Amino acid sequence: MADERRGEWGSRVGFILAAAGSAVGLGNVWKFPYITGENGGGLFVLIYLVCILAVGLPIMIAEVMLGRMSQRSPVSAFKQLAGDKSLWRGVGWIGVLAGFVILSYYSVVAGWALEYTVFSASGAIEGADPAALTQRFGQVAGNGSGAILWHVAFMAITIAIVIGGVQKGVEIAARVLMPLLLLMFIALLIFASQLEGFGEGASFVFGLHTDNFGPGSVLEALGHSFFTLSVGMGAMLTYGSYLKKDDDIVVASVAITVIDTLVALMACLVLFPITFTYGMEPAAGPSLVFQNIPIALAQLPGSTIWAVTFFLLLVFAALTSAISLLEVTASYFIDELGWSRSVAVPVTGGAIILLGIPSALAASSHTFGAGMEAAIGMNWFDLFDYVSSNWMLPLCGLGISLFAAWRVGEQARRVQFAAGSTLGKIEGLYVAWLQVLRFVVPIAIVLIMLHALKVFELLGLTGAT
Ligand code: TRP
């Protein structure tokens, strides 16, 4: 029985659209290209694709499944399925905490995108000089109070939509925006393919270079495969809890994964040709998309329209992702503490706004948190990103996979896998998925974590890399 207070998707594609809207976001357009640049290109991309297929997709199926079985948000889901006092609740807590941390800095980046939308609309990009546009990012991000204001503005929009509830807010936003975003990327790809640096850009993304690929790169690829698919936090679990009994989990998960991966690869194939054509640095870091796109578009006729469309779509892509992050954190208070939606959403959203302030300041100025940067090599912004993507999401994902593969009853798991699906009824596919979830996923996550902690080096098992 669907619980009135919880809501349900309005249509079969509603879930796919909303979940794909959650998956496709700044992770694809902003983060993936910049970490690909930092980790040297093709080899990183390859390992990321392996992580998506061998770890991310199997966990997504498991996560959505636990959501539909429990009809709850993460923490209550584990209570419902494992018992009120069960330690499995901890997996849900890590997820809820990750949601707070991720959205806090995610919204800062989305705020920059909002600012760039307004800046583009002013017509200032038209014919502007590349050096000036490169510097401009520093001025935007470097203006602490401005960054905070745009962060607050973005959170306010997110809060307003999430208060509207799943069906009205999330589904409608995703239904309109997802197709538009894809169209925009196709247009940009055609544009990039005409650039002189297209060949070099494409070979950066698909050639297997090993330079700049370090010991941390595998962990980064793993963490990003969770981040980009929105798994390992309970967001997909929460969205899965609004599914009907006979919706097809397997096909939906495959579709979401394919769309998400395509957008990420397209973003790289747009950004790196621009990078090489204009002699820029691939390892520019978080500023990559904000510098490259305006520089390239400035040369085009109608650059204002192009740039406004691009940044607006980026804001929308961020919005459908931010909605899912806020939905999970708010659902915790709705399901666990019985708060109403109209209280839970602004209160959690407000807390996230406060938590984001250090990131807004840190990403911007080198004076704020300079001591911290000197001590650990990361500012607040980097630290939040690193800890949440590379550690919290994989840990929570590990819990989800162990639970779904070892603890959930065979009968119930089979029913969930096969429901409403022709693909899900194929025995071999079910067995393969289960074995991957039982062995490959947990072993891969643990090994990659140990590797990143340099445990093998300490044990003298591998030489220093
Ligand atoms: N996947 C989104 C992106 O790529 C970010 C995101 C939304 C997310 N919801 C999430 C990441 C839940 C982890 C968990 O931009």
Side-chain angles (χ1 to χ4, degrees), residues 22-23 25-28 102 106 227-228 230-231 233 235 321 324-325 393:
S22 164
L26 296 172
N28 306 63
I102 293 175
Y106 198 86
F227 185 89
T228 191
S230 300
V231 299
M233 188 206 117
S321 302
S324 74
L325 288 158
L393 296 180

Side-chain angles (χ1 to χ4, degrees), residues 416-432:
Q416 291 289 339
F417 194 84
S421 176
T422 38
L423 217 54
K425 292 198 176 62
I426 303 173
E427 177 66 15
L429 202 66
Y430 172 75
V431 173

Side-chain angles (χ1 to χ4, degrees), residues 8-332:
E8 219 178 50
W9 300 112
S11 66
R12 247 166 234 283
V13 281
F15 168 74
I16 298 194
L17 280 171
S22 164
V24 175
L26 296 172
N28 306 63
V29 183
W30 162 74
K31 190 173 172 188
F32 182 61
Y34 104 66
I35 58 177
T36 296
E38 285 183 343
N39 290 281
L43 182 58
F44 179 78
V45 173
L46 180 70
I47 298 208
Y48 156 82
L49 290 174
V50 172
C51 289
I52 291 276
L53 259 184
V55 183
L57 176 60
I59 292 189
M60 187 187 294
I61 295 173
E63 198 179 317
V64 175
M65 188 178 270
L66 294 182
R68 182 164 66 186
M69 288 176 73
S70 64
Q71 294 284 302
R72 297 284 192 282
S73 59
V75 177
S76 347
F78 283 102
K79 277 194 181 169
Q80 163 87 5
L81 300 171
D84 268 359
K85 292 274 171 287
S86 161
L87 286 179
W88 288 105
R89 281 174 307 164
V91 176
W93 282 327
I94 302 176
V96 173
L97 194 64
F100 273 100
V101 176
I102 293 175
L103 187 50
S104 76
Y105 74 84
Y106 198 86
S107 161
V108 172
V109 181
W112 299 338
L114 256 184
E115 201 277 349
Y116 263 86
T117 312
V118 174
F119 169 67
S120 309
S122 74
I125 285 180
E126 199 119 17
D129 158 56
L133 288 172
T134 308
Q135 272 183 3
R136 179 159 198 285
F137 179 77
Q139 291 156 5
V140 172
N143 172 355
S145 52
I148 292 174
L149 266 175
W150 290 108
H151 154 67
V152 173
F154 180 80
M155 280 304 299
I157 302 171
T158 310
I159 291 169
I161 295 182
V162 177
I163 290 179
V166 179
Q167 198 171 321
K168 268 189 263 142
V170 183
E171 201 171 333
I172 294 176
R175 182 180 289 267
V176 187
L177 304 173
M178 285 295 299
L180 271 180
L181 184 75
L182 276 175
L183 274 181
M184 180 78 188
F185 263 104
I186 292 171
L188 281 173
L189 198 58
I190 294 172
F191 161 71
S193 68
Q194 320 279 312
L195 292 174
E196 189 191 318
F198 184 75
E200 199 180 342
S203 103
F204 181 77
V205 181
F206 293 117
L208 296 184
H209 326 280
T210 47
D211 351 328
N212 292 336
F213 192 89
S217 300
V218 185
L219 182 70
E220 182 90 39
L222 177 79
H224 189 67
S225 72
F226 282 85
F227 185 89
T228 191
L229 293 178
S230 300
V231 299
M233 188 206 117
M236 289 297 172
L237 189 152
T238 307
Y239 276 14
S241 74
Y242 309 129
L243 277 176
K244 298 187 183 65
K245 271 204 180 57
D246 58 346
D247 282 328
D248 181 342
I249 292 180
V250 177
V251 168
S253 303
V254 171
I256 295 158
T257 304
V258 169
I259 296 173
D260 187 78
T261 308
L262 280 180
V263 175
L265 293 176
M266 284 204 277
C268 279
L269 280 179
V270 168
L271 287 178
F272 290 110
I274 297 175
T275 303
F276 292 113
T277 303
Y278 293 96
M280 294 153 73
E281 177 52 49
S287 63
L288 191 71
V289 71
F290 295 100
Q291 293 175 334
N292 280 16
I293 290 284
I295 289 179
L297 295 183
Q299 317 301 322
L300 277 185
S303 52
T304 300
I305 300 280
W306 279 101
V308 171
T309 315
F310 177 84
F311 284 112
L312 205 55
L313 284 172
L314 189 56
V315 170
F316 284 139
L319 195 57
T320 49
S321 302
I323 288 168
S324 74
L325 288 158
L326 186 57
E327 175 72 21
V328 177
T329 48
S331 296
Y332 171 78

